[in-house]
Amino acid sequence: MMTRITRLGRHGCDLVEALGRAGMFLGQSLVGRPSVEGFKLWLRQMHFIGVLSLAIVLVSGLFIGMVLALQGFTILVDFGAEDALGQMVSLSLLRELAPVVAALLFAGRAGSALTAEIGLMKATEQLSSMEMIGVDPLKRVVAPRLWAGFVSLPLLTVGFSVIGIWGGHLVGVEWLGVYEGSYWGNMQSSVDFVDDIGNGMLKSLVFALVVTWIAVFQGYDLVPTSEGISRATTRTVVYSSLAVLGLDFVLTALMFGELG
Amino acid sequence: MNDSPLVVVEGLRFSRGDRDIFRGVDLTIPRGKITAIMGPSGSGKTTLLKLIGGQLAPEAGRVTIDGHDVHALSRKKLFALRRRMGMLFQSGALFSDLSVFENVAFPLRVHTDLPDAMIRDVVLMKLEAVGLRGARELMPAELSGGMARRVALARALALDPELILYDEPFVGQDPISMGVLVQLIRRVNDALGLTAVVVSHDIKETLSIADYVYVIADGKVMAHGTPQSLNVDQDPRVSQFMHGEPDGPVPFHYPADDFYRDMLNAGNAGEMR
């Protein structure tokens, strides 16, 4: 019994220590003067993290929008309310599906790659040698990746929503024959810029911070062996998926809990 | 030239988990000389370099470089101090996303405002010195181990450091590149007047270039002196190491239970899953 309590306490201490290390890591990486060199490094990471995630995010967005329209139509048509299809598709996407699904895809596509890349740099002593050259890897390697993640996920989320709504139009209007004017008109009158688009983007920004932070920290903090890299990559995907889903509930409760 | 030693290590203690790596190590590294630190594998030689470079912090003791206490410096000052050092890693540790040319140019680009034409000149000079000017367009993955280490040497020398730390420079080299490296280390030292620390267990090669040698074992400095004096040292542990005898006062075996009892101890068979 005592050993169990001891073990619990030790786990608690380890957890707090890891959180502290992760916090220090984030602070030390992000504080600093912007520079032309930093901007170039950031652009390069925007390509690797953002642009290369575009395909999977857009294709998923298209299919999710099409499925939403299909499922929504079969239910709405029973009540003769298929005119509200545009409203349903757009609100589901903007408030919930685009931020969450894009973040999950981003964790799988870009997060795991970030962890593995930084982990391998650590295992091959590239980070150590950079330190010995007198260049702080937190500024040179970590910071551009963090900023690129923060910026690219919200942008990917916008792309996800747009193409999802277009996919809904494709199925709802072109295929199932919902009246085009009511698809767009209902959407226009029911979607609020701040409440729906703004809150969705805010969610996406929070997810971007959390997922990128987890991915980069797991890479930087891992045990530099092949087993360590595989574990850290797995942890990145598991932790960030759980964090996204958990935070989504909290944020939804805060944002839409009282909208009724 | 300043006569005080460049690096002073005093009472250094460090452990990993339950294992003590250093139990009070004292060293002085004189300026302009090649100092070798030798010892059997696992005696913490690489760890010592990381402690000198400030990448690890000791549990007790001090490392001072040119009067600065390495482990009391702020992160910013530590990075400034490191610009005056070069380190050659055992694996080379080249940046895998940059070409050979860009690897050597990296320290120049981040720490100087030199125009591109001048950076090109410096990089080509450094690469010429290690005999790899023709390999400048290659990526690190296309290099052999020996070539990678020579590129890494060129990179470590790019900023003309005062202090250069060599981590096992001779391990895994074929005889030709070994000879090339031995000469290179001696030559750059004589030509540039820099201070070098060579960590190694290749006795013959190291003794041929070192001015002074420390032998580390069991977390302590076991012996030190010039190569000539160590070669005739009467201490059985020193002479075992210097003459490469397989077993002696420094055991061949990692500490373990009695072999006979261990073999009969069927109760522990469960550990072999």
Side-chain angles (χ1 to χ4, degrees):
Chain A
M1 187 63 195
M2 272 316 280
T3 47
R4 274 192 203 160
I5 294 175
T6 320
R7 207 178 297 154
L8 190 70
R10 192 157 51 225
H11 276 305
C13 289
D14 287 349
L15 182 71
V16 172
E17 196 201 319
L19 281 176
R21 267 207 317 277
M24 291 278 290
F25 165 85
L26 188 67
Q28 281 176 342
S29 308
L30 295 185
V31 174
R33 265 176 288 132
S35 64
V36 180
E37 185 63 21
F39 182 74
K40 279 188 205 152
L41 290 168
W42 174 77
L43 269 187
R44 204 175 134 80
Q45 290 309 319
M46 282 300 286
H47 174 74
F48 284 121
I49 295 174
V51 177
L52 296 183
S53 305
L54 205 57
I56 183 173
V57 166
L58 291 187
V59 170
S60 311
L62 178 67
F63 279 108
I64 290 208
M66 293 189 339
V67 167
L68 266 180
L70 208 53
Q71 291 277 16
F73 182 83
T74 54
I75 295 170
L76 289 174
V77 80
D78 287 345
F79 305 97
E82 67 269 26
D83 283 349
L85 188 67
Q87 177 182 352
M88 198 217 91
V89 169
S90 60
L91 286 182
S92 321
L93 279 170
L94 290 170
R95 284 184 183 182
E96 201 59 48
L97 285 169
V100 172
V101 178
L104 294 178
L105 292 169
F106 184 78
R109 161 66 184 75
S112 57
L114 278 175
T115 305
E117 189 191 13
I118 295 181
L120 211 57
M121 287 172 99
K122 184 175 181 183
T124 54
E125 293 187 306
Q126 293 184 47
L127 296 181
S128 280
S129 72
M130 194 174 279
E131 276 184 2
M132 290 305 296
I133 290 173
V135 175
D136 191 343
L138 290 181
K139 305 271 186 283
R140 174 93 193 180
V141 173
V142 170
R145 286 170 172 76
L146 282 172
W147 286 114
F150 297 168
V151 176
S152 53
L153 180 52
L155 291 178
L156 289 169
T157 303
V158 172
F160 190 103
S161 299
V162 170
I163 202 152
I165 290 170
W166 181 71
H169 174 268
L170 211 61
V171 168
V173 178
E174 306 285 337
W175 181 24
L176 299 171
V178 173
Y179 175 54
E180 177 147 27
S182 58
Y183 185 84
W184 296 118
N186 264 326
M187 195 184 299
Q188 207 173 9
S189 59
S190 62
V191 174
D192 185 89
F193 187 76
V194 176
D195 280 344
D196 301 317
I197 298 178
N199 277 336
M201 291 309 294
L202 192 61
K203 270 187 181 180
S204 175
L205 190 64
V206 173
F207 297 158
L209 294 175
V210 172
V211 171
T212 321
W213 182 19
I214 289 177
V216 174
F217 179 69
Q218 288 294 343
Y220 194 78
D221 203 48
L222 55 70
V223 185
T225 58
S226 31
E227 194 193 4
I229 293 177
S230 93
R231 277 183 185 205
T233 317
T234 312
R235 270 205 300 268
T236 292
V237 177
V238 173
Y239 288 179
S240 36
S241 305
L242 288 177
V244 164
L245 295 170
L247 277 172
D248 182 50
F249 177 76
V250 175
L251 289 172
T252 307
L254 289 174
M255 289 167 176
F256 303 105
E258 73 275 24
L259 280 184
Chain B
M1 197 161 139
N2 192 342
D3 272 350
S4 62
L6 184 62
V7 183
V8 181
V9 177
E10 295 163 285
L12 196 70
R13 286 177 168 277
F14 186 78
S15 57
R16 275 221 164 111
D18 295 333
R19 214 175 123 229
D20 287 335
I21 310 263
F22 296 124
R23 293 178 296 184
V25 168
D26 301 283
L27 301 168
T28 49
I29 313 280
R31 281 171 208 268
K33 297 274 172 24
I34 298 181
T35 306
I37 296 172
M38 312 194 63
S41 309
S43 57
K45 301 185 297 294
T46 303
T47 310
L48 184 63
L49 288 189
K50 291 199 165 171
L51 285 160
I52 293 176
Q55 295 192 299
L56 293 172
E59 277 144 32
R62 281 195 331 155
V63 176
T64 46
I65 298 181
D66 207 12
H68 302 284
D69 183 343
V70 173
H71 300 98
L73 293 175
S74 68
R75 199 176 164 85
K76 203 171 167 186
K77 289 203 173 128
L78 178 61
F79 276 99
L81 181 64
R82 282 183 183 152
R83 285 175 208 177
R84 297 162 56 189
M85 306 184 207
M87 179 156 171
L88 182 67
F89 283 82
Q90 201 173 332
S91 60
L94 297 175
F95 302 130
S96 46
D97 56 339
L98 300 178
S99 68
V100 165
F101 182 94
E102 284 303 323
N103 260 287
V104 181
F106 181 84
L108 299 163
R109 290 202 199 283
V110 292
H111 289 319
T112 68
D113 291 324
L114 295 177
D116 276 354
M118 200 174 280
I119 287 184
R120 183 171 183 276
D121 289 350
V122 175
V123 172
L124 293 188
M125 274 161 55
K126 302 290 175 189
L127 282 174
E128 175 72 19
V130 298
L132 290 174
R133 190 166 47 87
R136 62 178 180 267
E137 300 302 328
L138 299 182
M139 295 304 281
E142 300 170 273
L143 302 174
S144 71
M147 287 160 83
R149 210 163 308 171
R150 276 145 71 192
V151 174
L153 178 59
R155 184 179 68 180
L157 294 171
L159 283 173
D160 295 327
E162 292 164 52
L163 170 67
I164 181 154
L165 309 170
Y166 296 98
D167 185 6
E168 299 280 8
F170 310 122
V171 164
Q173 297 287 344
D174 63 70
I176 299 175
S177 42
M178 177 104 96
V180 170
L181 268 170
V182 170
Q183 279 185 16
L184 264 176
I185 291 176
R186 186 71 247 184
R187 249 195 7 236
V188 295
N189 220 72
D190 294 342
L192 304 173
L194 44 75
T195 307
V197 179
V198 180
V199 149
S200 177
H201 52 227
D202 293 293
I203 297 162
K204 194 170 117 285
E205 289 73 23
T206 312
L207 291 189
S208 70
I209 53 168
D211 295 306
Y212 202 79
V213 180
Y214 284 89
V215 180
I216 292 187
D218 294 331
K220 284 188 177 304
V221 174
M222 191 165 74
H224 58 97
T226 59
Q228 294 78 14
S229 72
L230 283 181
N231 255 330
V232 295
D233 199 302
Q234 294 303 314
D235 186 326
R237 293 177 309 167
V238 177
S239 100
Q240 185 203 342
F241 181 75
M242 301 305 280
H243 302 115
E245 288 147 14
D247 216 349
V250 181
F252 163 70
H253 293 283
Y254 195 84
D257 281 344
D258 180 63
F259 186 46
Y260 180 68
R261 239 183 314 136
D262 214 2
M263 294 299 278
L264 292 181
N265 199 347
N268 279 350
E271 77 192 33
M272 298 173 61
R273 259 169 305 190

Coordinates of all heavy atoms in Angstrom, one line a residue, chain B residues 134-200:
Chain B
G134 N 37.1 19.2 -53.1 CA 36.4 18.7 -54.3 C 35.0 18.1 -53.9 O 34.2 17.8 -54.7
A135 N 34.8 17.9 -52.5 CA 33.6 17.2 -52.1 C 32.6 18.3 -51.6 O 31.6 17.9 -51.0 CB 33.9 16.3 -51.0
R136 N 32.7 19.5 -52.0 CA 31.9 20.6 -51.3 C 30.4 20.5 -51.7 O 29.6 21.0 -50.9 CB 32.5 21.9 -51.6 CG 32.5 22.4 -53.0 CD 33.0 23.8 -53.1 NE 33.1 24.4 -54.4 CZ 34.2 24.3 -55.1 NH1 35.3 23.7 -54.7 NH2 34.3 24.9 -56.3
E137 N 30.1 19.9 -52.8 CA 28.7 19.9 -53.2 C 28.0 18.7 -52.6 O 26.8 18.6 -52.7 CB 28.6 19.8 -54.7 CG 29.2 21.0 -55.5 CD 28.6 22.3 -55.0 OE1 27.4 22.3 -54.6 OE2 29.3 23.4 -55.0
L138 N 28.7 17.7 -52.0 CA 28.1 16.5 -51.5 C 27.2 16.8 -50.3 O 27.5 17.8 -49.6 CB 29.1 15.5 -51.2 CG 30.0 15.0 -52.3 CD1 31.0 13.9 -51.9 CD2 29.2 14.4 -53.5
M139 N 26.3 15.9 -50.0 CA 25.5 16.0 -48.8 C 26.1 15.0 -47.8 O 26.8 14.1 -48.1 CB 24.0 15.6 -49.0 CG 23.3 16.5 -49.9 SD 23.2 18.2 -49.4 CE 22.0 18.2 -48.1
P140 N 26.0 15.3 -46.5 CA 26.6 14.5 -45.4 C 26.3 13.0 -45.6 O 27.2 12.1 -45.4 CB 26.0 15.0 -44.1 CG 25.7 16.4 -44.4 CD 25.3 16.5 -45.9
A141 N 25.1 12.6 -46.1 CA 24.8 11.2 -46.2 C 25.6 10.5 -47.3 O 25.7 9.3 -47.3 CB 23.3 11.1 -46.6
E142 N 26.3 11.3 -48.2 CA 27.1 10.7 -49.2 C 28.5 10.6 -48.8 O 29.3 10.1 -49.7 CB 27.0 11.6 -50.5 CG 25.6 11.8 -51.0 CD 25.6 12.9 -52.1 OE1 25.4 14.0 -51.8 OE2 25.7 12.5 -53.3
L143 N 28.9 11.0 -47.6 CA 30.3 10.9 -47.2 C 30.6 9.6 -46.4 O 29.7 9.1 -45.8 CB 30.6 12.1 -46.3 CG 30.4 13.5 -46.8 CD1 30.6 14.5 -45.7 CD2 31.3 13.7 -48.0
S144 N 31.8 9.1 -46.5 CA 32.2 8.0 -45.6 C 32.4 8.6 -44.2 O 32.5 9.8 -44.1 CB 33.5 7.4 -46.2 OG 34.6 8.3 -45.9
G145 N 32.6 7.7 -43.3 CA 32.8 8.1 -41.9 C 34.0 9.0 -41.7 O 34.0 10.1 -41.0
G146 N 35.1 8.6 -42.4 CA 36.3 9.4 -42.3 C 36.2 10.8 -42.9 O 36.7 11.8 -42.3
M147 N 35.5 10.8 -44.1 CA 35.3 12.1 -44.7 C 34.4 13.0 -43.9 O 34.7 14.2 -43.7 CB 34.7 11.9 -46.1 CG 35.6 11.4 -47.1 SD 34.7 10.7 -48.5 CE 34.4 12.1 -49.5
A148 N 33.4 12.4 -43.3 CA 32.5 13.2 -42.5 C 33.3 13.9 -41.3 O 33.0 15.0 -41.0 CB 31.3 12.4 -41.9
R149 N 34.2 13.1 -40.7 CA 34.9 13.6 -39.6 C 35.9 14.8 -40.0 O 36.1 15.7 -39.3 CB 35.7 12.6 -38.9 CG 35.8 12.9 -37.4 CD 36.2 11.7 -36.5 NE 35.3 10.6 -36.7 CZ 35.6 9.4 -36.2 NH1 36.6 9.3 -35.4 NH2 34.8 8.4 -36.4
R150 N 36.4 14.6 -41.3 CA 37.3 15.7 -41.7 C 36.5 17.0 -42.0 O 36.9 18.1 -41.8 CB 38.1 15.2 -43.0 CG 39.3 14.5 -42.6 CD 39.6 13.4 -43.5 NE 40.1 13.9 -44.8 CZ 40.2 13.1 -45.9 NH1 39.9 11.8 -45.9 NH2 40.6 13.6 -47.0
V151 N 35.3 16.8 -42.6 CA 34.4 18.0 -42.8 C 34.1 18.6 -41.5 O 34.1 19.8 -41.3 CB 33.1 17.6 -43.5 CG1 32.2 18.8 -43.6 CG2 33.4 17.0 -44.9
A152 N 33.8 17.8 -40.5 CA 33.5 18.3 -39.2 C 34.6 19.0 -38.6 O 34.5 20.1 -37.9 CB 33.0 17.2 -38.2
L153 N 35.8 18.6 -38.9 CA 37.0 19.3 -38.4 C 37.1 20.6 -39.1 O 37.4 21.7 -38.4 CB 38.3 18.4 -38.7 CG 39.6 19.0 -38.3 CD1 39.7 19.3 -36.8 CD2 40.8 18.1 -38.7
A154 N 36.9 20.7 -40.4 CA 36.9 21.9 -41.1 C 35.9 22.9 -40.5 O 36.1 24.1 -40.3 CB 36.6 21.7 -42.6
R155 N 34.7 22.4 -40.1 CA 33.6 23.2 -39.6 C 34.1 23.7 -38.2 O 33.8 24.9 -37.8 CB 32.3 22.4 -39.5 CG 31.2 23.3 -39.0 CD 29.9 22.5 -38.9 NE 29.9 21.5 -37.9 CZ 28.9 20.6 -37.6 NH1 27.8 20.7 -38.3 NH2 29.0 19.7 -36.7
A156 N 34.7 22.8 -37.4 CA 35.1 23.2 -36.0 C 36.2 24.3 -36.1 O 36.3 25.1 -35.2 CB 35.6 22.0 -35.3
L157 N 36.9 24.3 -37.2 CA 38.0 25.3 -37.3 C 37.6 26.6 -38.0 O 38.4 27.5 -38.1 CB 39.2 24.7 -38.1 CG 39.9 23.5 -37.4 CD1 40.9 22.9 -38.3 CD2 40.6 24.0 -36.1
A158 N 36.3 26.6 -38.5 CA 35.9 27.7 -39.4 C 36.1 29.0 -38.8 O 36.5 30.0 -39.4 CB 34.5 27.5 -39.8
L159 N 35.8 29.1 -37.5 CA 35.9 30.4 -36.8 C 37.2 30.7 -36.1 O 37.4 31.6 -35.3 CB 34.8 30.6 -35.8 CG 33.4 30.8 -36.3 CD1 32.4 30.8 -35.2 CD2 33.3 32.2 -37.0
D160 N 38.2 29.8 -36.5 CA 39.6 29.9 -35.8 C 39.4 30.0 -34.3 O 39.8 31.0 -33.7 CB 40.3 31.1 -36.3 CG 40.7 31.0 -37.8 OD1 40.9 29.8 -38.2 OD2 40.7 32.0 -38.5
P161 N 38.9 28.9 -33.7 CA 38.7 28.9 -32.2 C 40.0 28.9 -31.4 O 41.1 28.6 -32.0 CB 37.9 27.7 -31.9 CG 38.4 26.7 -33.0 CD 38.6 27.6 -34.2
E162 N 39.9 29.3 -30.2 CA 41.1 29.3 -29.3 C 41.3 27.9 -28.7 O 42.4 27.5 -28.4 CB 40.9 30.2 -28.1 CG 40.9 31.7 -28.5 CD 40.4 32.5 -27.3 OE1 40.9 32.3 -26.2 OE2 39.5 33.3 -27.5
L163 N 40.1 27.2 -28.5 CA 40.2 25.9 -27.9 C 39.4 24.9 -28.7 O 38.3 25.3 -29.2 CB 39.5 26.0 -26.5 CG 39.2 24.7 -25.8 CD1 40.5 24.1 -25.3 CD2 38.3 25.0 -24.6
I164 N 40.0 23.8 -29.0 CA 39.3 22.8 -29.8 C 39.3 21.5 -29.0 O 40.3 21.1 -28.5 CB 39.8 22.7 -31.2 CG1 39.0 21.7 -32.0 CG2 41.3 22.4 -31.3 CD1 39.0 21.9 -33.5
L165 N 38.1 20.9 -29.0 CA 37.9 19.7 -28.2 C 37.7 18.5 -29.2 O 36.8 18.6 -30.1 CB 36.7 19.8 -27.3 CG 36.6 21.0 -26.4 CD1 35.2 21.1 -25.7 CD2 37.7 20.9 -25.3
Y166 N 38.5 17.5 -29.2 CA 38.4 16.4 -30.1 C 37.8 15.2 -29.3 O 38.4 14.7 -28.4 CB 39.7 16.0 -30.7 CG 40.4 17.0 -31.5 CD1 41.4 17.8 -31.0 CD2 40.1 17.1 -32.9 CE1 42.0 18.8 -31.8 CE2 40.7 18.1 -33.7 CZ 41.7 18.9 -33.1 OH 42.3 19.8 -33.9
D167 N 36.6 14.7 -29.8 CA 36.1 13.5 -29.1 C 36.4 12.3 -29.9 O 35.8 12.1 -31.0 CB 34.6 13.7 -28.9 CG 33.9 12.6 -28.2 OD1 34.7 11.8 -27.6 OD2 32.7 12.6 -28.1
E168 N 37.3 11.5 -29.4 CA 37.6 10.2 -30.1 C 37.9 10.4 -31.6 O 37.2 9.8 -32.4 CB 36.5 9.2 -29.9 CG 36.2 8.8 -28.5 CD 37.2 7.8 -27.9 OE1 38.2 7.5 -28.6 OE2 37.0 7.3 -26.8
P169 N 38.8 11.2 -32.0 CA 39.0 11.5 -33.4 C 39.5 10.3 -34.2 O 39.3 10.4 -35.5 CB 40.1 12.6 -33.4 CG 40.8 12.5 -32.1 CD 39.8 12.0 -31.1
F170 N 40.0 9.3 -33.6 CA 40.6 8.2 -34.4 C 39.8 7.0 -34.5 O 40.1 6.1 -35.2 CB 42.0 7.9 -33.8 CG 42.9 9.0 -33.6 CD1 43.4 9.3 -32.3 CD2 43.2 9.9 -34.6 CE1 44.2 10.4 -32.1 CE2 44.0 11.0 -34.4 CZ 44.5 11.3 -33.1
V171 N 38.7 7.0 -33.7 CA 37.8 5.7 -33.7 C 37.3 5.5 -35.1 O 36.8 6.4 -35.8 CB 36.7 5.9 -32.7 CG1 35.6 4.8 -32.9 CG2 37.3 5.8 -31.3
G172 N 37.4 4.2 -35.5 CA 36.7 3.8 -36.8 C 37.3 4.4 -38.0 O 36.6 4.5 -39.0
Q173 N 38.6 4.8 -38.0 CA 39.2 5.3 -39.2 C 40.1 4.2 -39.9 O 40.7 3.5 -39.2 CB 40.1 6.5 -38.8 CG 39.3 7.7 -38.2 CD 38.5 8.4 -39.2 OE1 38.7 8.3 -40.4 NE2 37.6 9.2 -38.8
D174 N 40.1 4.2 -41.2 CA 41.1 3.3 -41.8 C 42.5 3.9 -41.6 O 42.6 5.1 -41.3 CB 40.7 3.1 -43.3 CG 40.8 4.4 -44.1 OD1 42.0 4.9 -44.3 OD2 39.8 5.0 -44.5
P175 N 43.5 3.1 -41.8 CA 44.9 3.5 -41.5 C 45.3 4.8 -42.2 O 46.0 5.6 -41.6 CB 45.7 2.3 -42.0 CG 44.8 1.2 -41.9 CD 43.5 1.7 -42.2
I176 N 44.8 5.0 -43.5 CA 45.2 6.2 -44.2 C 44.6 7.4 -43.6 O 45.3 8.4 -43.3 CB 44.9 6.0 -45.7 CG1 45.6 4.8 -46.3 CG2 45.2 7.3 -46.4 CD1 45.2 4.5 -47.7
S177 N 43.2 7.4 -43.4 CA 42.6 8.6 -42.9 C 43.0 8.8 -41.4 O 43.1 10.0 -41.0 CB 41.1 8.6 -43.0 OG 40.6 7.4 -42.7
M178 N 43.4 7.7 -40.7 CA 43.9 7.9 -39.4 C 45.2 8.7 -39.4 O 45.3 9.7 -38.7 CB 44.2 6.5 -38.8 CG 44.8 6.5 -37.4 SD 43.6 6.1 -36.2 CE 43.9 4.4 -36.0
G179 N 46.1 8.3 -40.3 CA 47.4 9.1 -40.4 C 47.1 10.5 -40.8 O 47.7 11.4 -40.3
V180 N 46.1 10.7 -41.7 CA 45.8 12.1 -42.2 C 45.3 12.9 -41.0 O 45.8 14.0 -40.8 CB 44.7 12.0 -43.3 CG1 44.2 13.4 -43.6 CG2 45.3 11.4 -44.5
L181 N 44.4 12.3 -40.2 CA 43.9 13.1 -39.1 C 44.9 13.4 -38.0 O 44.9 14.5 -37.5 CB 42.8 12.2 -38.4 CG 41.4 12.5 -39.0 CD1 40.4 11.4 -38.4 CD2 40.9 13.9 -38.5
V182 N 45.8 12.4 -37.7 CA 46.8 12.6 -36.7 C 47.7 13.8 -37.1 O 47.9 14.8 -36.4 CB 47.7 11.4 -36.6 CG1 48.9 11.7 -35.7 CG2 46.9 10.3 -35.9
Q183 N 48.1 13.8 -38.4 CA 48.9 14.9 -38.9 C 48.2 16.3 -38.9 O 48.7 17.3 -38.5 CB 49.3 14.7 -40.4 CG 50.5 13.7 -40.4 CD 51.0 13.6 -41.9 OE1 50.6 14.4 -42.7 NE2 51.7 12.6 -42.1
L184 N 46.9 16.2 -39.3 CA 46.1 17.4 -39.4 C 46.0 18.1 -38.0 O 46.1 19.3 -37.8 CB 44.6 17.1 -39.8 CG 44.3 17.2 -41.3 CD1 42.9 16.7 -41.5 CD2 44.5 18.7 -41.7
I185 N 45.7 17.2 -37.0 CA 45.5 17.8 -35.6 C 46.8 18.4 -35.2 O 46.8 19.6 -34.7 CB 45.1 16.7 -34.7 CG1 43.7 16.2 -35.0 CG2 45.1 17.1 -33.2 CD1 43.2 15.0 -34.2
R186 N 47.9 17.8 -35.4 CA 49.2 18.4 -35.0 C 49.5 19.7 -35.8 O 49.9 20.7 -35.3 CB 50.3 17.3 -35.2 CG 51.7 17.7 -34.7 CD 51.8 17.7 -33.2 NE 52.0 19.0 -32.7 CZ 52.1 19.3 -31.4 NH1 52.1 18.3 -30.5 NH2 52.3 20.5 -30.9
R187 N 49.2 19.6 -37.1 CA 49.5 20.7 -38.0 C 48.7 21.9 -37.7 O 49.2 23.1 -37.6 CB 49.3 20.3 -39.5 CG 50.6 20.2 -40.2 CD 50.5 20.2 -41.7 NE 49.3 20.4 -42.3 CZ 48.7 19.5 -43.2 NH1 49.3 18.4 -43.4 NH2 47.5 19.8 -43.7
V188 N 47.4 21.8 -37.5 CA 46.5 23.0 -37.2 C 46.9 23.5 -35.9 O 46.9 24.7 -35.7 CB 45.0 22.7 -37.2 CG1 44.6 22.3 -38.6 CG2 44.6 21.7 -36.2
N189 N 47.4 22.7 -35.0 CA 47.8 23.2 -33.7 C 49.0 24.1 -33.8 O 49.1 25.1 -33.2 CB 48.0 22.0 -32.7 CG 47.5 22.3 -31.4 OD1 46.3 22.4 -31.2 ND2 48.4 22.6 -30.5
D190 N 50.0 23.5 -34.5 CA 51.3 24.3 -34.7 C 51.0 25.6 -35.5 O 51.6 26.6 -35.1 CB 52.3 23.4 -35.3 CG 52.7 22.3 -34.4 OD1 52.4 22.3 -33.2 OD2 53.3 21.3 -35.0
A191 N 50.2 25.5 -36.5 CA 50.1 26.6 -37.4 C 49.2 27.7 -36.8 O 49.5 28.9 -36.9 CB 49.4 26.1 -38.7
L192 N 48.2 27.3 -36.0 CA 47.2 28.3 -35.5 C 47.5 28.6 -34.0 O 46.9 29.5 -33.5 CB 45.8 27.8 -35.7 CG 45.4 27.5 -37.1 CD1 44.0 26.9 -37.2 CD2 45.4 28.7 -38.0
G193 N 48.4 27.8 -33.4 CA 48.7 28.1 -32.0 C 47.5 27.9 -31.1 O 47.3 28.6 -30.0
L194 N 46.6 27.0 -31.5 CA 45.4 26.9 -30.6 C 45.6 25.8 -29.5 O 46.6 25.0 -29.6 CB 44.1 26.6 -31.4 CG 44.1 25.6 -32.6 CD1 44.1 24.2 -32.0 CD2 42.9 25.8 -33.4
T195 N 44.7 25.8 -28.6 CA 44.8 24.8 -27.5 C 43.9 23.7 -27.8 O 42.7 23.9 -28.2 CB 44.3 25.5 -26.2 OG1 45.0 26.7 -26.0 CG2 44.5 24.6 -25.0
A196 N 44.4 22.5 -27.7 CA 43.6 21.3 -28.1 C 43.5 20.3 -26.9 O 44.4 20.1 -26.2 CB 44.2 20.6 -29.3
V197 N 42.3 19.7 -26.8 CA 42.1 18.6 -25.9 C 41.6 17.4 -26.7 O 40.7 17.5 -27.5 CB 40.9 19.0 -24.9 CG1 40.7 17.8 -23.9 CG2 41.3 20.2 -24.1
V198 N 42.4 16.4 -26.6 CA 42.1 15.2 -27.4 C 41.7 14.1 -26.4 O 42.4 13.7 -25.6 CB 43.3 14.7 -28.2 CG1 42.9 13.4 -29.0 CG2 43.8 15.7 -29.2
V199 N 40.4 13.6 -26.6 CA 40.0 12.5 -25.8 C 40.1 11.2 -26.6 O 39.6 11.2 -27.8 CB 38.5 12.8 -25.4 CG1 37.7 11.5 -25.2 CG2 38.5 13.6 -24.1
S200 N 40.7 10.2 -26.1 CA 40.9 9.1 -27.0 C 41.4 7.9 -26.2 O 41.9 8.0 -25.1 CB 42.0 9.4 -28.0 OG 42.3 8.3 -28.8

